[in-house]
Amino acid sequence: MLHIVLYEPEIPQNTGNIARTCAATGASLDLIKPLGFALDDKKMKRAGLDYWHLLDVKIHENLQAFYDCYPGAKVHYFSTKSRYVYTEVEYEEDAFLMFGPESRGLPEELLLKNYDKTVRLPMREDARSLNLSNTVAVAVYEAMRQKDFVALKKAGKLTKY
């Protein structure tokens, strides 16, 4: 199972959108405190629609509590500061994709300790970053594409056919 990790998320709508992506793809969602909103925030709930029952969410008090919960986790750290492109990485079936807060990204200290495990989405040089929920969606679908979208419905069907 793919794991999405949000380190200190700040915007409830982004977290709700990410929760919906996780629910639709079967990925789990880990939230590392402090959070920039309450867990019962209406904006977060609305963005996640009625998908919450499909979702496995874990809340961690801090980064160390996250690592303690998943010893040996294969974490990929997403940052605009990485030199590696997200498509150049092979994602393990049980990979953890970690994303930082919207206003500042993952701490540089964390990135320096794990630089060979950092990845980025390419963009124009004069653009600071993409929206967090968009970045997560791109990353989730790349990791799942590499595994041929196992356990996901690959074809739709029109009602007349």
Side-chain angles (χ1 to χ4, degrees), residues 3-20:
H3 306 268
I4 303 308
V5 183
L6 302 182
Y7 173 84
E8 300 182 2
E10 299 167 328
I11 301 173
Q13 298 93 323
N14 279 338
T15 299
N17 287 336
I18 292 164
R20 186 174 176 184

Side-chain angles (χ1 to χ4, degrees), residues 1 9 24 48 51 72 74 78 93 97 104 112 135 138 149 152:
M1 171 193 300
Y51 286 72
K74 298 164 187 133
F78 280 73
E93 196 165 312
L97 310 183
R104 61 189 185 282
L112 286 170
T135 301
V138 170
F149 301 104
L152 296 183

Side-chain angles (χ1 to χ4, degrees), residues 147-159:
K147 304 298 181 214
D148 197 32
F149 301 104
V150 172
L152 296 183
K153 179 179 170 184
K154 293 188 215 175
K157 184 177 177 184
L158 296 172
T159 53

Side-chain angles (χ1 to χ4, degrees), residues 5-98:
V5 183
L6 302 182
Y7 173 84
E8 300 182 2
E10 299 167 328
I11 301 173
Q13 298 93 323
N14 279 338
T15 299
N17 287 336
I18 292 164
R20 186 174 176 184
T21 297
C22 290
T25 59
S28 69
L29 179 60
D30 289 87
L31 303 175
I32 300 174
K33 290 182 176 182
L35 308 179
F37 49 86
L39 288 172
D40 61 354
D41 186 283
K42 288 180 185 177
K43 293 174 187 167
M44 182 182 73
K45 295 290 185 186
R46 188 177 318 121
L49 291 177
D50 58 348
Y51 286 72
W52 293 98
H53 69 284
L54 297 174
L55 190 59
D56 175 24
V57 182
K58 289 187 179 65
I59 313 296
H60 306 278
E61 289 301 314
N62 53 46
L63 186 59
Q64 189 57 53
F66 164 77
Y67 288 128
D68 291 346
C69 186
Y70 300 107
K74 298 164 187 133
V75 182
H76 301 273
Y77 302 86
F78 280 73
S79 171
T80 59
K81 298 171 184 170
S82 175
R83 71 174 174 234
Y84 304 108
V85 175
Y86 77 107
T87 54
E88 298 172 335
V89 172
E90 184 176 333
Y91 299 96
E92 305 81 5
E93 196 165 312
D94 61 344
F96 289 77
L97 310 183
M98 185 179 288

